[in-house]
Amino acid sequence: METIARGVNERLRGDCIVEAWFGRHPEPFKTPAARQAKGLEGRVILSVHRTGKHIVCELGIAGGSVNTHPRSPQQAKIACQGPRSRKNKSAARVGHPGSGLGELESEPEAQWIVHLGMTGRLLVTTPDAPVAAHTHARLSLTSGRELRFVDPRRFGRLEYRELSRRESFRAQGADPLAVTAEEFARLFSGRKLAIKAALLNQKLLSGVGNIYADESLFRAGIRPRRRSGRLTRAELEGLRLALVEVLEDAIRLGGSSVSDYVDANGVRGFFQLEHCVYQRTGLPCHRCKTPIRRIVVAGRGTHYCPQCQR
Ligand SMILES: [Zn+2]
């Protein structure tokens, strides 16, 4: 998720949305498609980042031809019409020396929130690239590129928020890559919840998926069904470090290809995170050769080594 957000941010930061097209299936649209289209068209993408399990595009008012190589002057004009269009264009150009990024540092006025779900993908491509089946949204951009949302199973969600009307979107849980040891320990103290369930609870930690929960519990040597509140401070710190390790590995390797996530180019990662326990039921543990066991915790398939995890 982090990898996707970074990839999209690198490619689209500063680009303008010329036109938004939405498919006919209503499921992916948390905000009605027509309202999303109206809100998105003419906006500039200030930044793209990950918040928990969501990818958030921060949007501002388009104030110039902010990305390089506009497809045609006409498109650029459409994208950047409006009262601010006569401003010095270089002021907003990405990475222009001395420009200070101009308007890209301005406060966002709206957000486009993408929840990829199980099978959702964000693709940065060109309008002439073949349109995949199950494409639910296409945003044409001033740069001539196109941002597409593809989701065969339609578990993903697209949402548009005006920040003036509603509070900006924030995940409720702590960011596992940023949380301190003290904060991490406090999240779980006194809780009867199984530690695996607690790790998946987005109100406690945001963005920890099933694979990463199983893998970090293995690395920390903790059984998934242990009560959160019964873990010692040392165990919790071991778990925090294991989680950081697993998430950083996953980011470095471009995400685990077990889910249908691909990078922002639409390339399915040929990297696969080397799983120690996840979906290795019955196979020998890499560490001790004991067969990996599968149980269900919080409704999710959970894998652990009965020997290495206590
Ligand atoms: Zn083992």
Side-chain angles (χ1 to χ4, degrees):
M1 189 80 52
E2 187 76 38
T3 318
I4 298 168
R6 281 183 198 171
V8 173
N9 185 50
E10 271 166 32
R11 286 169 189 80
L12 299 189
R13 191 162 180 261
D15 220 332
C16 291
I17 302 164
V18 181
E19 198 182 352
W21 172 93
F22 291 92
R24 62 188 168 83
H25 292 290
E27 297 94 324
F29 309 128
K30 203 167 165 186
T31 310
R35 229 182 72 80
Q36 294 202 36
K38 190 164 174 269
L40 290 171
E41 286 171 6
R43 295 281 189 185
V44 60
I45 299 171
L46 300 174
S47 67
V48 180
H49 59 92
R50 174 188 72 93
T51 299
K53 289 191 167 185
H54 300 77
I55 292 171
V56 180
C57 304
E58 304 284 357
L59 306 169
I61 294 173
S65 180
V66 291
N67 214 318
T68 48
H69 318 304
R71 188 174 173 76
S72 70
Q74 199 194 357
Q75 262 196 350
K77 203 176 123 215
I78 295 166
C80 302
Q81 267 175 355
R84 297 164 77 186
S85 66
R86 260 169 261 111
K87 283 187 76 171
N88 180 4
K89 286 179 179 184
S90 71
R93 189 168 292 150
V94 182
H96 189 273
S99 74
L101 294 182
E103 296 173 44
L104 294 180
E105 284 175 1
S106 66
E107 280 293 299
E109 308 204 335
Q111 290 176 321
W112 194 48
I113 301 154
V114 179
H115 187 182
L116 295 173
M118 298 288 285
T119 55
R121 292 183 293 158
L122 270 181
L123 306 178
V124 179
T125 182
T126 50
D128 54 341
V131 178
H134 313 292
T135 297
H136 303 291
R138 297 172 67 179
L139 307 187
S140 3
L141 307 167
T142 309
S143 61
R145 284 175 291 199
E146 209 171 271
L147 178 61
R148 295 181 187 171
F149 176 69
V150 181
D151 186 3
R153 296 174 70 184
R154 302 203 289 272
F155 289 146
R157 293 290 177 264
L158 301 175
E159 181 181 3
Y160 175 81
R161 287 190 187 188
E162 290 278 350
L163 295 182
S164 48
R165 287 183 212 159
R166 282 173 79 172
E167 211 178 301
S168 113
F169 182 85
R170 301 244 181 273
Q172 294 164 295
D175 183 340
L177 293 176
V179 71
T180 65
E182 289 73 29
E183 287 164 345
F184 189 85
R186 213 178 305 134
L187 291 176
F188 302 103
S189 76
R191 291 185 189 273
K192 291 180 177 172
L193 206 60
I195 186 64
K196 164 77 186 263
L199 284 175
L200 293 177
N201 186 335
Q202 301 295 308
K203 286 179 184 166
L204 297 178
L205 285 173
S206 55
V208 180
N210 201 34
I211 302 171
Y212 304 143
D214 280 5
E215 292 298 309
S216 55
L217 284 169
F218 173 78
R219 291 199 198 190
I222 297 168
R223 286 224 183 171
R225 277 202 179 125
R226 290 270 305 278
R227 281 188 179 190
S228 311
R230 293 273 180 84
L231 297 178
T232 65
R233 183 60 192 267
E235 284 175 321
L236 284 170
E237 182 55 4
L239 178 58
R240 186 184 71 82
L241 294 173
L243 189 56
V244 167
E245 220 174 75
V246 166
L247 291 172
E248 281 180 347
D249 277 359
I251 291 167
R252 189 168 46 79
L253 295 172
S256 167
S257 63
V258 166
S259 334
D260 270 353
Y261 297 145
V262 293
D263 71 20
N265 285 320
V267 180
R268 185 181 293 265
F270 44 84
F271 339 86
Q272 160 119 32
L273 189 64
E274 173 80 24
H275 296 136
C276 293
V277 288
Y278 186 77
Q279 286 187 348
R280 292 193 68 248
T281 312
L283 293 171
C285 169
H286 290 321
R287 231 181 252 164
C288 73
K289 309 291 179 216
T290 305
I292 298 302
R293 230 176 251 174
R294 183 186 188 276
I295 54 174
V296 175
V297 179
R300 307 296 300 272
T302 297
H303 312 77
Y304 72 101
C305 172
Q307 182 64 34
C308 296
Q309 291 172 257
R310 295 288 167 176

